[in-house]
Amino acid sequence: MRKFNGWKAIGISILFIVLLQTMGLSQTDKTPFADINNTRVLPMLKNLPRTYGGMNIPAADGRFLHDLIIENKYQRGLEIGTSNGYSGLWLGLAFQETGGELITLEIERKRAEEARKNFKKAGLDKVIDARICDAFKEIPKIEGEFDFIFLDAWKPDYMEFLQLVRHRVKPGGVITAHNVLNAGREMQDFLDALKTDQGLETKIVRISSAGVSISIVKK
Ligand SMILES: C[S@@+](CC[C@H](N)C(=O)[O-])C[C@H]1O[C@@H](n2cnc3c(N)ncnc32)[C@H](O)[C@@H]1O
């Protein structure tokens, strides 16, 4: 009988652990954080919703919007409902890559100040203009057009926000909105308006159970 070789057993165990870790990593590659190489933003994208506890979009939805901005090279975004800035981190990261900018609006001072701190910590404060204001009052004061809108304030207000931004979006630009599936009943007027607007091409995607509407302004 061959003598049991302890070192050989340890070697095989290490090989197994490395193999399992590699398999784990390839699984991680499929997460919303795959290929996000910005080491300042990445830990915040992973941990901010947990430390804040609610209201933030799921990471997968953030990644979807991030990719939408980059794929279409959008240049000027408007977010309504910043909260502590979690979705803003995803959007800001994308606009940093396209060379664009994001204006984000939050009515609640405490949350908006937290968002500003988060944008600074992430190194995105040059890309993101975070305003503490009532979006209903602020939007008419902002000049120029947008090519990306993200609605994520209180759901029954979506319709009124749509009316405010609808004609401020360039052809080829997009109006997106969060929670259109899990809070659809609170915004039925908004969803109907998207459907009947001949100038918009709308689809609803279920990346998470919340649902995101994507309405491209026809050229
Ligand atoms: C669902 S949270 C936004 C979450 C954020 N987009 C994220 O994923 O990190 C909605 C936010 O909209 C803000 N809000 C509601 N009405 C607003 C208004 N009229 N103007 C600006 N912000 C508003 C609320 O104070 C709240 O912080």
Side-chain angles (χ1 to χ4, degrees), residues 197-210:
D197 189 328
Q198 298 296 308
L200 295 177
E201 179 132 8
T202 296
K203 62 178 177 177
I204 288 175
V205 292
R206 184 193 285 270
I207 301 122
S208 74
S209 57

Side-chain angles (χ1 to χ4, degrees), residues 168-189:
R168 308 281 308 272
V169 183
K170 286 181 185 170
V174 69
I175 300 168
T176 65
H178 202 244
N179 303 107
V180 296
L181 290 176
N182 68 353
R185 269 177 295 173
E186 293 176 53
M187 55 173 92
Q188 199 51 56
D189 50 354

Side-chain angles (χ1 to χ4, degrees), residues 21-37 42-43 45-47 50 58-67 86 90 93 207:
Q21 278 185 341
T22 313
M23 283 163 68
L25 275 180
S26 64
Q27 271 184 352
T28 315
D29 283 348
K30 289 179 194 132
T31 73
F33 312 107
D35 308 320
I36 303 285
N37 300 316
L42 187 58
L45 294 177
K46 286 185 174 174
N47 297 318
R50 252 174 285 160
D61 292 357
R63 179 58 189 260
F64 175 80
L65 295 167
H66 166 277
D67 291 355
Y86 182 68
W90 281 106
L93 189 63
I207 301 122

